[in-house]
Amino acid sequence: MSKVWFVGAGPGDPELLTLKGRDLVARAGAILYAGSLVSEAATRWAPPGCEIADSKEMTLERISAWLIEKAAAHETVVRLQTGDPTLYGALIELVQPLDAAGIEVGVVPGVSSAMAAAATAVESLTLPEVTQTVILTRVAGRTPMPEGESLAELARHHCTLCLFLSITLLKTVQSELRAAGWREDAPVLVVHKASWPGEEAIVRGTLADIREKCRAAKINNQAMIIASPTLGARQWPTLQKSKLYDAAFTHRFRKGAEAATR
Ligand code: SAH
């Protein structure tokens, strides 16, 4: 029986595709990829004769029709999505028509651009006693934010915020963070094309100047905004260390020094 796989292609670097995703690509009869970002992952490992198409100019109906049509002809059909398919990927809208057509569906997770951006900048999204929470969100563009999810409301937690789809809305990001009580010198990081070999750009700024800096660097697409009290910790002289590696801390795999000597 045919199966349509929604595969997370990762943030750009084809090597960040999972092994499971690569194996599916390697035996796919047809691959539909989402725009130029993930084309290389598709073409690098696709088998000879595989039908490969770009969904960039297709409507949702056309994409569904394509997947259904190819599932009739091939056992394995792959829909490659940027980053992780469960984030801002229209996953359910695409799964429903396949369900209705009685076609089996599988999802393979991918490395999200939020993780890739933090990795590129060598930042940790959580730090002990600084923040233990990450919010993945966006500001309202053409898609409105549901009640209670404005950035001003979410930012009141003063935790790590990873903002997708918001680079052209930095002015709004600034005003919402200010409304939530963030200081003008709060660090903000923007990573453009995280993980793209030779094309990454990192902009470090503050709530006050990040917009100007991004404008100067001409960054207006494919960018992750991270606002977090953890940013820049690599340079901090004092750091609250994680309990996990603390010599005195006992856990399932290691007896802490205190417990061991008792
Ligand atoms: N499912 C994807 C997100 C798709 S929404 C994921 O998990 O990453 C598209 C948004 O993702 C862009 O507006 C941008 O904010 C972010 N994005 C995708 N690829 C990126 C990359 N390589 N570097 C920085 N941001 C990226």
Side-chain angles (χ1 to χ4, degrees), residues 10-13 37 81-89 110-117 163-167 191-196 221-225:
D13 180 348
L37 268 173
Q81 314 229 152
T82 57
D84 182 86
T86 68
L87 292 168
Y88 310 105
V111 175
S112 173
S113 54
M115 278 69 229
L163 307 177
F164 292 75
L165 301 158
S166 303
I167 192 63
V191 182
H192 171 66
K193 287 200 165 181
S195 89
W196 277 78
N221 62 15
Q222 286 304 329
M224 175 62 48
I225 305 165

Side-chain angles (χ1 to χ4, degrees), residues 74-223:
H74 305 283
E75 209 166 293
T76 303
V77 175
V78 168
R79 161 69 176 164
L80 269 182
Q81 314 229 152
T82 57
D84 182 86
T86 68
L87 292 168
Y88 310 105
L91 177 65
I92 302 306
E93 290 157 68
L94 290 170
V95 166
Q96 280 187 345
L98 295 168
D99 282 343
I103 296 166
E104 228 189 302
V105 164
V107 180
V108 178
V111 175
S112 173
S113 54
M115 278 69 229
T120 294
V122 194
E123 295 286 355
S124 181
L125 298 178
T126 62
L127 279 179
E129 294 178 33
V130 178
T131 183
Q132 295 286 286
T133 304
V134 182
I135 294 179
L136 307 180
T137 187
R138 58 174 299 172
V139 290
R142 272 174 295 180
T143 307
M145 291 306 282
E147 177 132 14
E149 293 187 26
S150 73
L151 185 59
E153 285 166 282
L154 298 174
R156 288 214 176 92
H157 296 283
H158 291 271
C159 60
T160 296
L161 304 165
C162 296
L163 307 177
F164 292 75
L165 301 158
S166 303
I167 192 63
T168 58
L169 301 163
L170 271 173
K171 202 172 179 172
T172 311
V173 171
Q174 285 174 314
S175 62
E176 304 253 321
L177 292 181
R178 284 181 183 123
W182 286 52
R183 290 162 46 137
E184 289 302 305
D185 63 356
V188 180
L189 167 73
V190 169
V191 182
H192 171 66
K193 287 200 165 181
S195 89
W196 277 78
E199 293 189 51
E200 294 180 316
I202 300 178
V203 177
R204 290 180 184 275
T206 60
L207 173 53
D209 67 14
I210 193 69
R211 186 160 167 257
E212 273 315 305
K213 284 187 165 177
C214 285
R215 189 182 291 169
K218 296 196 168 52
I219 293 175
N220 52 25
N221 62 15
Q222 286 304 329

Side-chain angles (χ1 to χ4, degrees), residues 243-251 253-262:
K243 291 264 187 284
L244 188 60
Y245 302 110
D246 187 334
F249 188 66
T250 298
H251 59 71
F253 303 108
R254 182 166 53 76
K255 225 178 197 145
E258 274 172 29
T261 51
R262 222 178 283 150

